[in-house]
Each structure stands twice: as C-alpha cells, then as structure tokens.
Amino acid sequence: MRAPKRLEPAGLRRLLVRVPNWVADALLATPALHALRRAFPRADINVLAKPWVAPLFAASPDCDRTIP
C-alpha cells in the first residue's frame, strides 16, 4: 500500500469548505478555517453555508467568499 501524497500549499489554488448548519457548530468551525488559511495562504477559500450561518463568515479574513 502506498503512502498518501502530501498536499503542497503552493499547489492548491481553491478550497471549498462546507460548514455545519447550526450557528454554534459553525462558530466552532472558525478555528479550522483559520488553520486552513495558515496552511494554504495563497488559496482561494470559499465557504458553503446555510443562509442563516453565512453571515458569520462574510467578514472573516480567512474566507474569500461565502456561498449561501
């Protein structure tokens, strides 16, 4: 069995993150989003969220675009 390939930060251009449906759970996902931004600083990070949690990510510096 082969070892999985390591993701290179320079090789990733776009990420789509599906966040949880509930406000509290979505809020708890923000550290993970921040970690993705640190790991892939040049990637375009888009968040796919339900309309009622999308505003949590609209002003986030770790998210380039929010898709409700």
Side-chain angles (χ1 to χ4, degrees):
M1 183 186 261
R2 284 184 169 176
K5 291 184 179 179
R6 180 171 165 80
L7 291 176
E8 294 298 326
L12 255 102
R13 294 184 183 172
R14 295 184 304 182
L15 293 171
L16 177 64
V17 179
R18 171 64 171 90
V19 294
N21 294 343
W22 307 109
V23 174
D25 294 337
L27 189 60
L28 290 173
T30 57
L33 192 61
H34 182 68
L36 282 173
R37 173 59 70 201
R38 285 193 351 226
F40 304 101
R42 295 182 185 194
D44 183 35
I45 299 178
N46 300 307
V47 169
L48 180 62
K50 293 289 184 180
W52 53 88
V53 296
L56 291 173
F57 300 97
S60 172
D62 299 319
C63 172
D64 295 307
R65 181 176 170 215
T66 304
I67 305 167

